[in-house]
Amino acid sequence: MGNKAIITVNLTSEQVKQYYMGQKNRVQAYTDDGQSISVPYDILLEFVSHQGIYGRFEIRYDDGGKFQGISRIS
């Protein structure tokens, strides 16, 4: 089976710089139903632009909570 969470991420380039420099390693975000979720920064690396990281993402994980994949949905 599997599960998924839809999150919105809005990180400016200055905020992304903190992750790049190792000052932070997890991103705090909220799911569409209002739950707080903490995700590893590395799963968002492919979505970094000069402006930062912005968008809605679907995170997929297995029944044990192990990360399976992520995709931008908007």
Side-chain angles (χ1 to χ4, degrees):
M1 179 103 184
N3 300 293
K4 66 181 179 179
I6 306 295
I7 62 168
T8 300
V9 176
N10 295 307
L11 294 175
T12 66
S13 58
E14 282 300 311
Q15 290 170 311
V16 167
K17 191 176 184 181
Q18 292 178 346
Y19 291 96
Y20 178 76
M21 295 173 64
Q23 296 171 350
K24 295 182 176 185
N25 63 1
R26 297 191 71 81
V27 176
Q28 195 71 29
Y30 289 93
T31 62
D32 277 0
D33 60 5
Q35 292 183 15
S36 178
I37 186 172
S38 174
V39 299
Y41 171 70
D42 355 352
I43 71 170
L44 296 166
L45 282 175
E46 66 183 285
F47 305 106
V48 175
S49 73
H50 289 292
Q51 290 78 33
I53 304 173
Y54 293 93
R56 293 183 68 225
F57 301 89
E58 178 184 273
I59 299 174
R60 296 172 302 284
Y61 51 97
D62 66 18
D63 292 334
K66 184 176 178 186
F67 175 73
Q68 298 294 305
I70 185 170
S71 53
R72 184 192 306 265
I73 56 175
S74 65

